[in-house]
Amino acid sequence: MKDDRRSETIRYVTGALVSGVLTLLAFWVVMGPDLARPVRLWVLAGLGLAQIVVQLRCFLHIGWHSRREDLQLILFSLVLLGLMIGGTIWIMGSLAVRMH
Amino acid sequence: MTDPIFGRLDGSVTPFDDLFRNPSVNEAVASGAALAVILGVVAVVWMLTRHRLWAPLWRDWLTSADHKKIGIMYCVLAGVMLVRGVLEGVVMRTHQVTALDGGMLSADHFAQLFSTHGTIMIFFVATPLITGLINFAVPLQIGARDMAFPVLNQVSLGLTAAGAGLVMVSLVVGQFGTGGWTMYPPYTGATFSPGPGVDYWLWAIGISGIGSTLSGLNFAVTIYKMRCPGMTWLRMPMFTWTALCTAIMMVYAFPPLTVATAMLALDRYLDFHFFTNDLGGNMMHYANVFWMFGHPEVYIVVLPAYGVFSEISATFAAKRLYGYNSLVIATMAIAVISFCVWLHHFFTMGQGAPVNAAFGIATMIIAVPTGVKVYDWLATLYEGRIRMSVPIIYLAGFFILFVFGGLTGVILANPTIDYQVHNSQFLVAHFHNVLIRGTLFGIFAGIHYWFPKAFGFRLDETLARRAAWLWFAGFCLAFLPLYWLGLMGMPRRSASYDNPAFEPAMWLAFAGGLLVLAALATTVWTFVASIRNRAALACPVGDPWDGRTLEWSVPCPAPAFNFFATPSVRALDPLTIEKAEGTPYEEADGYEDIEMPRNTALGMILAVATGVMGFALVWWVWWLAALALVAVIGAVIARAFVEDTHQRIPADELRQAHLAFLRRVRQTRAVDRDDETGPANKGLARPEVPA
């Protein structure tokens, strides 16, 4: 029981630190080095994905042996994220092409 | 530089000041509204003090973690906001009959009115009413004793109340934004709207939006984890199904709203350029993110109303719900498809035809599951023994007017037609037809249906029936002429018009507004009269409508712990089956000690702290905002150290209470459905039609 609590605490602290670092990295990518625009965007997207993974792992306790309900939840989230992100890129891309 | 202590606040922020300097009808209306808020608060404080109700209010309600009480408080909050929203609607209609080449209100005041009206009706009437009904009914329907997270539930209510409070304060101190309920930038950016109005909207929506996300999580976990033994997915009552879909939609739809408001706040406060005209801002992205929330929101508020209609059509026709599985599938389909249609709110923004076509088609497709539902309810009523009581009147009104609104929605889903009628009164007529008939009628029916379960007595049937007819007639008159006006080219949100041909239709709509006002008054009177007459209307045995689901098997009002013993379920409509088999109201095999959450003040502390923080941010009183934020964080951390969070109720106490209830059941005379609305109805139904 005590070990459980200890490993839980370690997990939450690690999660908080890693997600904090990832957030700061995102700011650094934009404000710091002299990178090409597409490189910056891809790095930002990568950092965003890493953030999702860290939060799922450390805060929501999702692992390879999670329950079926968790899998359903993740798959449904992926569907909605796909709709929202895909739709946004499509809409804003169409607007950008027609406005310039 | 702003004042370090008072920020932007100074002596000239109230409307009274302007009335004094520049007396006019416009300023008189603004001051009258502010005065109404102040008098309302004074009257409530005076009543509470006079009847010595502060302590009971604090002990039994504000600090309670009981899902039923939280649900009722959501509904009361929404009721207060509904009064303001309806009054604003009537003021706007009054303005519009005078608005041929002018009008009694200034354009700016009119813009504030339609902005607050929309904001209030969506965020502080429809959403809290739905949240309240779900809170009240879902744990009872699934055989649970409370929500999965009772204290989080209280926090959600607190955050919603803080947002509503900010909107109310904006009437007295300062002004509200004028950008409509969607507050599109760049108009609402710091350049074009420098005042505090948009900030009121931002913090009201930002704070209450987080509350709604938390509610959604709470409902979803409750329905996933807290169902009683035997309650498999396909044995859940239809209202619980719609609540589940709404909860999941809340979890995914409210974060985009929080993101949109946070980005706009960054623009306004920290000089970011997400949505500005210059320096790389793109205001169209706001519309995109906002409607990613905005469209699902429409279904968030309408799905539980569909759930209510499902329950009442089965109950008041004394028939099993027709096509249960198809209703479940239709609900799920609507929940998913509603995330694929958001672009139809900005067809005319400039994206290419293929994008518009795809979203237009998705919009038309969503009418299919909705149609399935309407047919299912009709089939449920078909050959049933229907009692034309209040909920069924709302259902009938819904059938007629909602289908009208829904069909005009399919028309608007066609981008080529939308280009002609967008931003016109046609649109106003359409969404009032769907939202009022869908959501509001559903909720009114639900309140009438579950009111006895909450308070132990029924609502006065005659008055409630009058109110239902008045709502129906009033909304017909108030919104049907707007279709015509829209097709004739009258734009929405326009403070005045120059075509005299519009005037007669505006008078018609004004008459509708007065009827709606009468309906509101009748509704309030229904509650007052029913409370006065509660002894005659009492139905302590708990089943006044010959109900079909678990919540009707417990007394009215439902005890704090909901069930004497955890129920177990073998089929859909468990209570109806028990009544058909002659085995309801029996002693349980065994009783267990249970643990119920203790009262806590966390929700109230957070409500006050976040409300103060929002107000301080609106007026740039930075020190106060920081202080309030520290209070929020401190309160949450302090709560984590409270270990004694539950109280134990011993099994014997539950058994004694159950036996007392069963004795009462045996002493009560059962009533026929013909006497359902009469004084003989003490809540014991004589089942006549087999399940």
Side-chain angles (χ1 to χ4, degrees):
Chain A
M1 188 65 201
K2 203 160 189 182
D3 278 349
D4 264 12
R5 198 164 165 174
R6 197 179 140 77
S7 71
E8 282 288 272
T9 315
I10 291 175
R11 187 183 260 203
Y12 280 119
V13 171
T14 325
L17 287 178
V18 175
S19 67
V21 168
L22 286 171
T23 309
L24 290 178
L25 271 179
F27 277 91
W28 177 75
V29 169
V30 177
M31 301 165 89
D34 189 23
L35 294 172
R37 190 178 154 84
V39 177
R40 277 185 185 165
L41 291 177
W42 282 111
V43 174
L44 277 178
L47 288 170
L49 283 177
Q51 182 78 258
I52 293 177
V53 172
V54 169
Q55 301 213 357
L56 284 179
R57 181 80 197 118
C58 298
F59 301 147
L60 297 179
H61 302 92
I62 304 292
W64 295 116
H65 301 289
S66 291
R67 299 160 60 90
R68 190 173 184 82
E69 284 161 8
D70 292 338
L71 181 68
Q72 288 172 350
L73 192 71
I74 291 172
L75 290 178
F76 185 68
S77 302
L78 284 178
V79 169
L80 286 193
L81 276 179
L83 282 171
M84 288 180 178
I85 297 172
T88 297
I89 291 174
W90 193 29
I91 294 165
M92 298 313 289
S94 171
L95 274 166
V97 170
R98 290 161 62 89
M99 300 295 274
H100 290 293
Chain B
M1 269 305 280
T2 51
D3 188 278
I5 307 247
F6 291 108
R8 287 197 276 187
L9 278 170
D10 58 38
S12 66
V13 291
T14 65
F16 308 115
D17 190 75
D18 294 324
L19 178 68
F20 191 66
R21 266 188 285 122
N22 177 22
S24 66
V25 179
N26 183 45
E27 294 302 337
V29 171
S31 297
L35 199 63
V37 173
I38 295 170
L39 289 180
V41 171
V42 170
V44 170
V45 169
W46 183 74
M47 284 283 287
L48 288 174
T49 312
R50 185 169 163 235
H51 295 285
R52 298 172 183 277
L53 289 173
W54 284 106
L57 179 72
W58 179 258
R59 193 180 59 236
D60 297 340
W61 293 90
L62 298 180
T63 58
S64 170
D66 181 342
H67 70 95
K68 298 179 288 298
K69 288 185 172 163
I70 291 175
I72 292 164
M73 284 190 280
Y74 262 114
C75 290
V76 171
L77 174 74
V80 173
M81 299 309 277
L82 176 74
V83 171
R84 176 171 167 198
V86 167
L87 288 177
E88 282 177 337
V90 176
V91 170
M92 283 192 282
R93 285 272 174 271
T94 315
H95 166 79
Q96 278 173 323
V97 295
T98 69
L100 182 63
D101 299 319
M104 65 174 202
L105 301 179
S106 71
D108 187 68
H109 191 175
F110 185 72
Q112 279 188 55
L113 277 170
F114 67 67
S115 303
T116 42
H117 175 81
T119 305
I120 286 175
M121 288 305 201
I122 293 288
F123 293 106
F124 300 112
V125 175
T127 313
L129 277 175
I130 285 300
T131 318
L133 273 195
I134 293 177
N135 246 316
F136 180 79
V138 162
L140 283 165
Q141 284 201 324
I142 62 173
R145 297 201 188 276
D146 207 318
M147 284 285 166
F149 308 115
V151 178
L152 187 69
N153 201 16
Q154 202 195 40
V155 170
S156 300
L157 171 66
L159 296 179
T160 308
L166 281 177
V167 179
M168 288 312 256
V169 167
S170 78
L171 261 186
V172 185
V173 185
Q175 299 191 319
F176 202 74
T178 52
W181 79 278
T182 54
M183 294 283 170
Y184 277 0
Y187 173 67
T188 53
T191 319
F192 302 105
S193 300
V198 179
D199 299 322
Y200 267 122
W201 183 86
L202 276 179
W203 298 112
I205 300 309
I207 293 169
S208 69
I210 292 172
S212 299
T213 311
L214 296 176
S215 286
L217 282 168
N218 207 346
F219 297 157
V221 175
T222 305
I223 298 173
Y224 259 86
K225 299 283 185 192
M226 310 268 288
R227 283 168 290 141
C228 68
M231 175 81 68
T232 56
W233 289 113
L234 288 177
R235 288 179 194 163
M236 291 197 318
M238 207 49 224
F239 180 75
T240 302
W241 262 110
T242 56
L244 175 65
C245 289
T246 282
I248 293 174
M249 289 168 77
M250 280 172 142
V251 173
Y252 290 95
F254 272 92
L257 175 70
T258 307
V259 168
T261 48
M263 286 163 88
L264 188 56
L266 288 171
D267 270 12
R268 290 180 60 84
Y269 282 81
L270 297 177
D271 209 20
F272 277 48
H273 292 276
F274 287 120
F275 308 127
T276 54
N277 280 339
D278 50 356
L279 296 169
N282 185 348
M283 67 293 262
M284 287 178 280
H285 195 44
Y286 178 88
N288 179 53
V289 179
F290 182 87
W291 286 111
M292 243 183 250
F293 147 78
H295 196 83
E297 164 73 2
V298 175
Y299 288 93
I300 285 172
V301 296
V302 89
L303 278 183
Y306 291 169
V308 173
F309 286 134
S310 304
E311 301 288 333
I312 60 169
S313 61
T315 305
F316 289 93
K319 258 183 80 188
R320 197 188 158 110
L321 189 61
Y322 180 89
Y324 173 85
N325 287 2
S326 67
L327 278 168
V328 170
I329 294 168
T331 308
M332 304 278 270
I334 290 175
V336 176
I337 302 173
S338 73
F339 282 96
C340 313
V341 300
W342 76 90
L343 177 123
H344 71 219
H345 294 272
F346 46 97
F347 273 145
T348 58
M349 202 165 71
Q351 60 280 3
V355 188
N356 275 355
F359 280 88
I361 291 166
T363 308
M364 292 178 202
I365 289 175
I366 210 166
V368 175
T370 314
V372 167
K373 285 176 162 257
V374 172
Y375 283 116
D376 276 341
W377 295 319
L378 285 171
T380 306
L381 295 179
Y382 180 69
E383 291 206 328
R385 187 183 163 191
I386 302 171
R387 288 103 70 186
M388 273 308 274
S389 53
V390 174
I392 294 292
I393 295 175
Y394 282 118
L395 179 62
F398 163 84
F399 277 145
I400 300 164
L401 293 170
F402 182 81
V403 170
F404 213 103
L407 287 177
T408 51
V410 178
I411 294 172
L412 284 166
N414 185 332
T416 50
I417 297 177
D418 186 78
Y419 261 81
Q420 306 304 314
V421 290
H422 83 106
N423 208 34
S424 75
Q425 297 283 358
F426 189 85
L427 181 74
V428 177
H430 157 70
F431 70 71
H432 280 91
N433 251 312
V434 238
L435 272 176
I436 293 174
R437 267 59 114 165
T439 306
L440 209 59
F441 278 19
I443 292 165
F444 285 163
I447 288 177
H448 191 88
Y449 180 61
W450 279 308
F451 188 88
K453 192 48 72 186
F455 294 102
F457 55 96
R458 289 169 286 124
L459 285 172
D460 186 296
E461 190 77 14
T462 317
L463 283 171
R465 205 171 284 212
R466 266 179 220 157
W469 283 112
L470 278 172
W471 285 116
F472 178 76
F475 284 133
C476 277
L477 264 184
F479 293 107
L480 293 182
L482 267 57
Y483 283 118
W484 180 81
L485 281 169
L487 289 178
M488 296 302 285
M490 182 173 177
R492 72 191 285 207
R493 293 176 173 167
S494 174
S496 75
Y497 48 90
D498 56 7
N499 186 347
F502 294 159
E503 216 174 16
M506 286 303 5
W507 276 103
L508 216 56
F510 172 65
L514 291 184
L515 278 183
V516 170
L517 202 59
L520 181 70
T522 316
T523 303
V524 174
W525 185 243
T526 308
F527 286 111
V528 175
S530 308
I531 291 170
R532 284 191 182 162
N533 198 22
R534 60 186 174 278
L537 292 167
C539 45
V541 174
D543 184 22
W545 316 123
D546 192 10
R548 312 176 71 80
T549 39
L550 283 180
E551 74 266 35
W552 303 107
S553 65
V554 298
C556 284
F561 42 82
N562 287 357
F563 297 94
F564 299 106
T566 308
S568 86
V569 172
R570 288 172 294 138
L572 196 61
D573 294 344
L575 184 60
T576 302
I577 289 176
E578 279 188 2
K579 281 188 276 194
E581 291 173 345
T583 58
Y585 309 116
E586 290 194 334
E587 201 180 335
D589 297 333
Y591 297 86
E592 286 173 354
D593 290 1
I594 55 168
E595 290 200 325
M596 297 304 294
R598 278 190 196 282
N599 281 8
T600 163
L602 183 68
M604 276 309 288
I605 294 171
L606 291 192
V608 173
T610 52
V612 169
M613 185 180 78
F615 183 79
L617 285 168
V618 168
W619 293 100
W620 300 355
V621 190
W622 308 122
W623 63 270
L624 185 59
L627 209 64
L629 184 64
V630 170
V632 171
I633 296 170
V636 174
I637 292 177
R639 169 72 194 174
F641 287 93
V642 178
E643 290 191 340
D644 182 24
T645 55
H646 283 77
Q647 60 187 356
R648 178 169 282 265
I649 302 179
D652 195 51
E653 193 181 321
L654 291 170
R655 181 161 173 274
Q656 293 305 331
H658 197 186
L659 291 181
F661 171 60
L662 294 180
R663 271 196 300 280
R664 180 155 212 174
V665 171
R666 266 176 252 115
Q667 286 161 2
T668 307
R669 204 169 57 85
V671 291
D672 248 30
R673 288 308 92 199
D674 297 330
D675 302 328
E676 181 178 61
T677 55
N681 186 357
K682 293 296 171 202
L684 185 60
R686 179 179 299 141
E688 298 153 77
V689 188

